[in-house]
Amino acid sequence: MDSYKFIYKEEEKLIVGEVKNKRLVDYKDLNESKLGNIYRTRIKKFLPSLDAYLLDIGEDKDGLLRSKNRIKSLDKYADTIVEVIKDPKDHKMYELSEKYTLSSPYQVLKTNKNNKLENVHSSFYRTKGKDKSEDFLKKDLDILLKIYEELEKERNFLPSPKLLYRPDRVKDYTCDYPYEIVSNIKLPHDQIIYDPAFNPDYVSEISLDLSLKNKRLVERGDVSIVIDQLEALTVIDVNYKNVDTHLSKEDMSLSVNLKALKEIAIQISLRKIKKMLIIDFLRMNKENRALLVNELKKVFEEYKIKNKIEGFSNMGFLEIVLF
């Protein structure tokens, strides 16, 4: 298989990933994120400096319920239902909201300020749902409404905190995928090939790319790139290992830069690089810069990298914002 997705479970880890044209382009542990989980939780205290409630959700860290995500003022030690809308980073806490959402791979329902669902007949369709039939979306909506009803029944029960709902991240990750999906566990999803012996660590293209994932220097063929990930931005420096004496300096620079585009896209995807990106390509003339940017746009589209290319700076660095 040249292109496929995989699911691998080992103890508490649930690893998913994607191989595209024999290169690993995505790899993550779905159990690390609590994003989208819905909890019945108890208030611990109010933090005046943040205008936020501190809530115990029963996980490794507490959560913050800020005023903009609240429905109304809450009583001390009261229970409330919240959704995790942001995973914590470093020493921070989970960000929570009482205006929770329920979603499938095809549509999203959101509760309003009165804790009721928005108009269910005009639910927000996700990209994957825009081409689905009305009957399909109606059945999908009925499933979400049933989940909503069950959640509301839990509102005044005990104990708290308690996890009430976890989105089906595997289904969201695999739905409508056009190639094969392999897994070492049996799952109730179509098109998944069950292979109990599958282990990504023993697949050459996966293990090789995983070994490069956290390295500063990545070498592929005649091209090498150096990646420095800082807090506010990421810098990538493009270099070459072998000089082609048959090419002029300008043509050689263009050739190396074009070869580096695919590797840059793969590393962006694997490392989950966001925000400001600065790329130091080999120096080229204005015409070749324009050609390079056009090719980069195609590569970013191929690897589904959301971006805004700002252009070359006065110092010759290509500036990009990644989302």
Side-chain angles (χ1 to χ4, degrees), residues 68-275:
K68 63 181 179 180
N69 298 318
R70 293 200 302 266
I71 295 172
K72 60 182 180 180
S73 296
L74 299 170
D75 296 329
K76 190 176 182 181
Y77 306 125
D79 289 354
T80 186
I81 291 180
V82 295
E83 176 189 6
V84 174
I85 57 174
K86 189 175 182 181
D87 280 321
K89 291 184 179 180
D90 301 325
H91 62 281
K92 296 182 180 179
M93 292 175 281
Y94 293 94
E95 290 280 349
L96 309 173
S97 175
E98 286 187 296
K99 295 173 277 189
Y100 62 84
T101 62
L102 295 172
S103 66
S104 73
Y106 309 104
Q107 56 190 315
V108 177
L109 293 179
K110 183 178 287 189
T111 56
N112 59 26
K113 63 182 180 179
N114 297 316
N115 236 71
K116 302 299 181 183
L117 284 175
E118 302 286 1
N119 184 354
V120 296
H121 300 294
S122 59
S123 58
F124 172 71
Y125 294 144
R126 301 171 74 174
T127 302
K128 293 177 182 178
K130 290 181 179 178
D131 297 326
K132 297 296 181 181
S133 69
E134 185 176 340
D135 184 58
F136 178 92
L137 292 171
K138 173 64 169 59
K139 291 179 180 178
D140 186 62
L141 178 61
D142 288 342
I143 294 173
L144 294 180
L145 288 172
K146 186 175 181 179
I147 295 171
Y148 169 72
E149 291 171 1
E150 293 301 317
L151 283 172
E152 288 304 305
K153 289 179 182 177
E154 289 276 356
R155 186 167 291 280
N156 297 314
F157 288 174
L158 293 174
S160 293
K162 179 184 177 182
L163 173 63
L164 301 178
Y165 171 76
R166 180 188 288 114
D168 190 341
R169 298 186 180 92
V170 171
K171 185 176 181 180
D172 197 29
Y173 190 79
T174 59
C175 82
D176 295 338
Y177 182 67
Y179 305 111
E180 293 179 311
I181 302 169
V182 61
S183 174
N184 74 324
I185 54 173
K186 292 182 178 179
L187 293 167
H189 300 298
D190 298 335
Q191 94 255 31
I192 291 181
I193 302 169
Y194 172 58
D195 179 2
F198 174 78
N199 187 327
D201 292 338
Y202 301 141
V203 180
S204 58
E205 62 261 31
I206 296 176
S207 59
L208 176 59
D209 277 323
L210 280 178
S211 69
L212 298 174
K213 180 173 176 283
N214 297 314
K215 288 187 176 181
R216 182 171 180 264
L217 175 63
V218 177
E219 295 182 301
R220 282 281 183 172
D222 294 335
V223 178
S224 68
I225 61 176
V226 177
I227 305 172
D228 287 310
Q229 286 185 259
L230 309 174
E231 180 129 0
L233 58 86
T234 299
V235 180
I236 296 179
D237 183 28
V238 177
N239 298 291
Y240 57 89
K241 296 193 292 183
N242 299 307
V243 178
D244 189 340
T245 56
H246 296 90
L247 296 176
S248 66
K249 183 177 180 181
E250 184 68 33
D251 289 342
M252 187 194 70
S253 294
L254 177 61
S255 175
V256 171
N257 289 338
L258 289 173
K259 289 179 181 178
L261 296 184
K262 179 180 177 180
E263 194 60 47
I264 289 171
I266 289 173
Q267 294 305 320
I268 288 172
S269 298
L270 266 184
R271 300 174 189 232
K272 308 292 188 290
I273 296 174
K274 303 293 182 183
K275 299 181 181 178

Side-chain angles (χ1 to χ4, degrees), residues 4-20:
Y4 60 95
K5 284 187 175 182
F6 60 85
I7 303 161
Y8 175 69
K9 185 172 177 59
E10 181 183 29
E11 296 179 351
E12 296 302 314
K13 290 186 177 182
L14 183 61
I15 305 295
V16 297
E18 181 179 0
V19 173
K20 188 180 183 71

